[in-house]
Amino acid sequence: MFSRPEDIAKVMVDVEAVAAKTYLRGLGTGFRNDVEHIRRFEMEAKAGRLRICILYGADVPQAFWIGFVYGNTFHSGYTGYDAAMREFEVGTLVFVYLIDRLCEENVKIFDFGLGDAFYKQRFADQCWNEVSISIYRPSLRGAGLKLAFTVHYHFVRFLHSVLKRLKLVDWVKRTWRAKKTQPSKERGNGTQV
């Protein structure tokens, strides 16, 4: 568990080693070892809010969980694990260790944040749905945008319902994530600094 400003330099390299292998990186999102994240983590560490938990196997980082403690609540920020270690549930192991350490700090609430992931369904005891509201300008362009969005929205819902009936939703997610975790020549395999 890392939370001090002097830990940031080493932690950023170790977390990047795992994050580079995740499907979120394949999507161009998630944790990045860049100036923006370094500055934010340094600021949060100086304020005593940063918590970075890294699971190592044979001195190699395998999984991480990053978040921030405000009052008695831990707010999850970034998670990731080496997909090659999936069968060992390294993500769950780092989560259990993190929970143990947060309990020692008397943290009462673990906020998983946005999204609908299996681990959130597995470990959370509360959830709620949120919706987005779109407002369009009363013009020809606004009407065109609204039509395009509505067609796209209903097509995606229809496709999801078909996959759900065929019990293929989880298979599609696993396949998609597996594809995004495979190294590609375009994304490269190295770390970013």
Side-chain angles (χ1 to χ4, degrees):
M1 180 73 94
F2 303 93
S3 59
R4 301 174 310 165
E6 55 268 25
D7 296 330
I8 301 298
K10 178 191 182 338
V11 166
M12 296 299 282
V13 172
D14 289 352
V15 171
E16 177 63 30
V18 177
K21 301 174 186 175
T22 65
Y23 81 95
L24 288 173
R25 179 59 58 83
L27 296 174
T29 186
F31 173 88
R32 289 212 180 265
N33 184 5
D34 58 18
V35 174
E36 179 182 336
H37 282 91
I38 291 169
R39 286 187 182 150
R40 178 176 180 209
F41 292 165
E42 286 173 345
M43 178 188 70
E44 296 288 359
K46 286 175 186 172
R49 296 185 292 252
L50 179 67
R51 302 296 183 278
I52 300 177
C53 191
I54 303 174
L55 175 72
Y56 294 89
D59 294 326
V60 176
Q62 304 292 338
F64 67 89
W65 205 303
I66 301 172
F68 312 93
V69 174
Y70 295 93
N72 68 349
T73 303
F74 175 82
H75 297 272
S76 185
Y78 303 95
T79 64
Y81 65 91
D82 184 343
M85 302 298 289
R86 176 188 300 275
E87 68 179 290
F88 302 108
E89 292 202 38
V90 292
T92 301
L93 293 173
V94 77
F95 170 70
V96 170
Y97 180 79
L98 175 61
I99 289 290
D100 187 50
R101 293 296 300 270
L102 291 172
C103 286
E104 290 174 5
E105 295 182 38
N106 209 26
V107 171
K108 303 287 185 203
I109 300 168
F110 193 105
D111 184 347
F112 285 104
L114 299 173
D116 181 31
F118 173 71
Y119 69 90
K120 294 177 183 181
Q121 295 171 14
R122 183 178 180 190
F123 296 114
D125 63 350
Q126 296 179 18
C127 71
W128 56 87
N129 292 323
E130 295 183 351
V131 297
S132 297
I133 296 175
S134 299
I135 301 173
Y136 301 95
R137 185 179 207 152
S139 66
L140 187 57
R141 183 172 183 224
L145 286 171
K146 181 179 180 182
L147 177 64
F149 175 80
T150 302
V151 169
H152 176 265
Y153 173 78
H154 287 292
F155 175 73
V156 169
R157 283 191 62 192
F158 169 75
L159 186 59
H160 188 267
S161 69
V162 169
L163 292 172
K164 196 171 182 178
R165 279 192 207 127
L166 296 174
K167 298 183 178 168
L168 293 173
V169 173
D170 289 336
W171 177 82
V172 168
K173 285 182 180 181
R174 276 192 310 275
T175 304
W176 177 60
R177 286 179 177 164
K179 181 177 179 182
K180 291 297 181 182
T181 58
Q182 294 172 353
S184 76
K185 291 177 183 172
E186 299 85 44
R187 288 196 310 264
N189 298 335
T191 57
Q192 292 184 330
V193 180

